[in-house]
Amino acid sequence: MACKEKPQTRQLSPQEMEEQLIQMNERMTGQEKESIEAYIQEKDWPMDSTGTGLRIWIYEAVAGQKAIPGQVAEVSFVVNLLDGTECYRTPEGETRTFKVEQSDVESGLHEAIQLMSAGDKAKIILPSHLAYGLAGDLNKIPLKSTLVYDITLHSLR
């Protein structure tokens, strides 16, 4: 009785592996975009989009100077996943601060704050690449998660 031989598999070259990874990332990014679009349509939010894929709707706008790098932004927020799961929220009556473009917060949050003025309230959708990326935050935000912020920019200093 002869042993069954395993089919031979060809090892991919580094270039072929890179091409496959790029294709897989494009598929995943496309699926995430579709999910974001479906969410926005379901909510009927009139959101603007930036070149990075950030989506923003300033639903309470206050005239004033937009945030600039180096300023300290004081914010309160609720952060949800697209399925509605709440991940984080600032406690009632409390705020959080961060230095625009100089603090360790999601890159999409830095971008969004620079589109806002003190007093503005906004809905912000951060695709995973502008949030916590492939790893999540190793706490409440799963890997490759799109985040939905309801955020108030209380002050800039």
Side-chain angles (χ1 to χ4, degrees):
M1 192 164 175
C3 293
K4 282 191 172 183
E5 290 185 26
K6 287 186 179 181
Q8 289 187 354
T9 56
R10 182 177 67 83
Q11 188 163 354
L12 299 176
S13 72
Q15 182 180 0
E16 290 171 320
M17 283 182 67
E18 183 178 346
E19 287 173 10
Q20 284 191 3
L21 285 172
I22 288 170
Q23 290 172 359
M24 183 176 71
N25 190 50
E26 287 173 349
R27 279 192 307 276
M28 291 171 62
T29 301
Q31 290 168 349
E32 185 176 27
K33 277 183 175 180
E34 288 174 9
S35 296
I36 290 170
E37 287 302 319
Y39 182 87
I40 291 168
Q41 286 182 353
E42 177 186 313
K43 298 291 185 181
D44 197 27
W45 290 347
M47 302 194 95
D48 293 319
S49 182
T50 69
T52 64
L54 176 126
R55 304 302 291 268
I56 185 167
W57 169 37
I58 300 174
Y59 63 89
E60 282 188 32
V62 176
Q65 185 175 348
K66 303 287 184 217
I68 57 172
Q71 287 185 306
V72 174
E74 181 181 10
V75 300
S76 60
F77 54 83
V78 178
V79 181
N80 292 306
L81 302 177
L82 285 180
D83 69 4
T85 302
E86 184 176 299
C87 299
Y88 298 103
R89 112 181 356 254
T90 49
E92 188 69 35
E94 293 184 25
T95 59
R96 298 286 183 259
T97 60
F98 67 93
K99 201 172 236 188
V100 180
E101 291 292 342
Q102 297 176 8
S103 293
D104 189 23
V105 298
E106 305 91 315
S107 64
L109 193 54
H110 287 290
E111 180 182 355
I113 288 297
Q114 292 178 74
L115 300 171
M116 298 174 67
S117 302
D120 284 356
K121 294 182 180 185
K123 302 281 189 185
I124 300 165
I125 299 178
L126 303 181
S128 59
H129 71 277
L130 296 177
Y132 288 93
L134 293 174
D137 73 349
L138 305 177
N139 189 14
K140 294 183 179 183
I141 298 174
L143 57 96
K144 197 124 175 70
S145 292
T146 303
L147 300 181
V148 180
Y149 272 80
D150 189 347
I151 190 164
T152 300
L153 177 55
H154 294 280
S155 69
L156 293 164
R157 56 182 191 270

